[in-house]
Amino acid sequence: MNIIQTALLKLSSGEAMAFPTETVYGLGADCTNDSAVQKIFTLKGRPAFNPLIIHVSDIHMAFKYGEFNDTARTLANKFWPGPLTIVVPLNKNAKISSYVTAGLDTIAIRCPNHPVALDLLQQYNVPIAAPSANISGYVSPTKYEHVHDEFGDKVFIVPGDQSCIGLESTIVDCSVTDVAILRPGFITKENIETILNMPLTEKTSSEVIKAPGQFKLHYSPKLPVRLNVTNVHPNEALLNFGQNALTADISLNLSPQGNLDEAATNLFDYLRKLDKHPNITGIAVSPIPCEKIGVAINERLDRAASK
Ligand code: TXA
Ligand code: MG
């Protein structure tokens, strides 16, 4: 049996399995199977009120689960397959586990641009519900080894390369009249505004999901993170960007050339590497320009620092 066949068997027998996407690795299960979806929440330690994204092979599969208005259709046609998750009203006739949506009447849908993920989805022919394949609250995984670090042999992992984008998808809410960005990502607010020819509002997912106990979700390393540093304290590791005068004994540079795309690809891998380093008391991060995907990089770093 090859790897894809093993993964398909896991899905059809109600197990969770991890797989690569272009953004981060996902921990997936059959979105129609209650107990399979519950396994995702248990494995991650994820609160039940936090809904999951379903992954589809194409727009036609998406239409069976969500009600796509003109705006949502335009965005799906333009950006799929790709790193954009679209929130739409749930199709009332959809056969889907209510654990996926956490009981909401909207659903988040994404068609990933990754050959392995698309192969799985086309062959399985049912959407895969999948959050990032990390323990809830920790940094998202962008490499096979990151997922293995989190779950060991408890979860079957479809191997793949490092996720090329390296940050979770942009989430856009099309279920409301004032279309809003809920999470910044590789596809920027400006990219979406250009396609829709209108300005967007910015909200957070937690403002939209008004469930009891909802909190600002952190995605933090274990070590404290200090941002926009101008000096590095003794025993701190340095996460640097571009060329500057900052130095430290333990240091990684997200992109010595100052390329924001490269920095995004490396961000979670380098945070995980520094977090594992013995004898370090914190991670100092140099300033990173807040433009293009730098907006998403800074948003993830803000969360990492807000523990
Ligand atoms: O790139 C990605 O999006 C990755 C890969 C695996 O596709 N997935 C991912 O899933 O980042 P997760 O669960 O880590 O983040 C999904 C976010 C959560 O913040 C959740 O609250 C939000 O999407 N979400 C899910 N359904 C929603 C809905 N109906 N309305 C608003 N936000 C929703
Ligand atoms: Mg996540």
Side-chain angles (χ1 to χ4, degrees), residues 19 21-27 44 46 49-53 55 83-85 87-88 100-101 104-110 112 130-134 140 167-171 173 175 182-183 204-206 208-209 214 217 219 303:
F19 63 105
T21 86
E22 81 279 32
T23 55
V24 300
Y25 276 66
L27 180 63
K44 279 182 63 88
R46 181 175 175 111
F49 60 74
N50 194 8
L52 307 180
I53 296 172
H55 296 70
L84 182 71
T85 294
V87 174
V88 291
V100 171
T101 54
L104 298 176
D105 53 10
T106 56
I107 182 153
I109 310 184
R110 171 166 116 80
S132 49
N134 52 281
S140 289
L167 297 181
E168 307 87 343
S169 59
T170 306
I171 305 181
D173 187 1
S175 71
L182 303 183
R183 179 172 72 184
T204 63
S205 204
S206 25
V208 175
I209 303 162
Q214 179 72 0
L217 298 158
Y219 301 96
R303 286 174 185 275

Side-chain angles (χ1 to χ4, degrees), residues 60-78:
H60 304 290
M61 190 185 274
F63 288 171
K64 293 186 195 152
Y65 294 84
E67 304 278 4
F68 282 65
N69 60 16
D70 285 349
T71 307
R73 267 170 210 256
T74 303
L75 293 177
N77 279 320
K78 174 71 190 171

